[in-house]
Amino acid sequence: MDANTIDVEQLGEDVRLLDGMRTTRAIRRLRPDPVPSALIRKVCEAGTFAPSGGNRQPWFFIAVTEPQRRMWIAERYRKLFDAYIQPAWQAAKDPSYPAAKRRNMQAAIHLAEHLHEVPVLLFVAGWTRRGQPQTQALFPAIQNILLACRAVGLGASLTTLHTAFGKETDAWLGLPENCPTCAMLPIGWPQGSYRRPQRRSVDSCFFFEHFDPAVVEAGLAD
Ligand SMILES: Cc1cc2nc3c(=O)[nH]c(=O)nc-3n(C[C@H](O)[C@H](O)[C@H](O)COP(=O)(O)O)c2cc1C
């Protein structure tokens, strides 16, 4: 996408809502090309239409775009990710390891290895309430942003690994102690394309009136 010819206002306005939902998956292979600031603002604006308790709207969105700053995050993320992915990496040596899980793991590894090249690392933070982080109040906004990225053709995914060095990151971002980050969304133009993600059927997890353990026993809901 040529940044100079993008009509930010119009981009994404024609994507049908349910179709967008059905085809929003984690896109972790991203091109290093820059993303216009106005487009980042647009997807964050979609985040601001999310519901929140008491309509308190506790969220803040901080886009990290400078190469050295992205590197600061990437180095720390990678170190943690290497330890985090080890069990899956070992398990995947077994040829019977499910192909879909293997692809997912490979994409996550790719993201970790290339995080410093991702043009936008978008942090989502929010005020604490009664001393507690309000993570649950931020996730509707995060999902809105992911859907907006889908609509405008940006690739994105949701990550939370950085919270293991969250305090250090929050201070580095200039956030006060009562406004921690809960997620980082690496965003850029996708190398691949949006398509339906692999999900179990709604019939394996949807009931009227009562939960039915027979569905679980039949292996439909594992
Ligand atoms: C709460 C939460 C935390 C996540 N944290 C990470 C993360 O730290 N790193 C990562 O690569 N993916 C992370 N993910 C992305 C999931 O792995 C991804 O959504 C899942 O594998 C489905 O991918 P798909 O939409 O491509 O099928 C996280 C997802 C959620 C919902």
Side-chain angles (χ1 to χ4, degrees), residues 10 12 14 20 28 32-33 38 43-44 47 62-63 74 96 103 128 138 140 156 172 178 182 185 199 211 218-219:
Q10 281 312 307
D14 55 345
R28 298 188 181 102
D33 314 59
V43 298
C44 288
I62 303 171
S96 68
R103 277 197 303 275
T128 56
L138 302 176
W172 177 80
N178 61 344
C182 76
L185 280 52
R199 298 290 186 265
F211 174 70

Side-chain angles (χ1 to χ4, degrees), residues 24-26 28 77 104 108 111 139 158-161 197-199:
T24 297
R25 65 182 182 93
R28 298 188 181 102
Y77 183 97
N104 200 297
L111 177 68
F139 272 81
L158 165 55
T159 78
T160 54
L161 204 64
Q198 202 184 42
R199 298 290 186 265

Side-chain angles (χ1 to χ4, degrees), residues 82-187:
D82 285 348
Y84 167 83
I85 206 68
Q86 269 310 312
W89 176 255
Q90 291 302 329
K93 287 183 179 162
D94 184 337
S96 68
Y97 193 77
K101 280 176 84 171
R102 189 187 302 279
R103 277 197 303 275
N104 200 297
M105 180 190 73
Q106 284 166 342
I109 292 172
H110 179 94
L111 177 68
E113 285 176 353
H114 294 265
L115 198 61
H116 60 289
E117 295 165 10
V118 174
V120 183
L121 302 177
L122 183 68
F123 287 88
V124 180
W127 294 122
T128 56
R129 185 162 159 77
R130 299 184 181 128
Q132 296 300 314
Q134 296 297 290
T135 308
Q136 73 279 18
L138 302 176
F139 272 81
I142 290 168
Q143 184 63 17
N144 270 9
I145 294 173
L146 293 172
L147 290 169
C149 286
R150 159 69 186 89
V152 302
L154 286 169
S157 59
L158 165 55
T159 78
T160 54
L161 204 64
H162 85 279
T163 55
F165 56 97
K167 274 198 190 325
E168 189 190 6
T169 307
D170 298 348
W172 177 80
L173 289 169
L175 287 161
E177 274 187 20
N178 61 344
C179 192
T181 53
C182 76
M184 175 183 75
L185 280 52
I187 299 176

Side-chain angles (χ1 to χ4, degrees), residues 191-202:
Q191 285 182 19
S193 58
Y194 277 105
R195 59 171 179 271
R196 261 181 117 104
Q198 202 184 42
R199 298 290 186 265
R200 62 190 169 96
S201 160
V202 63

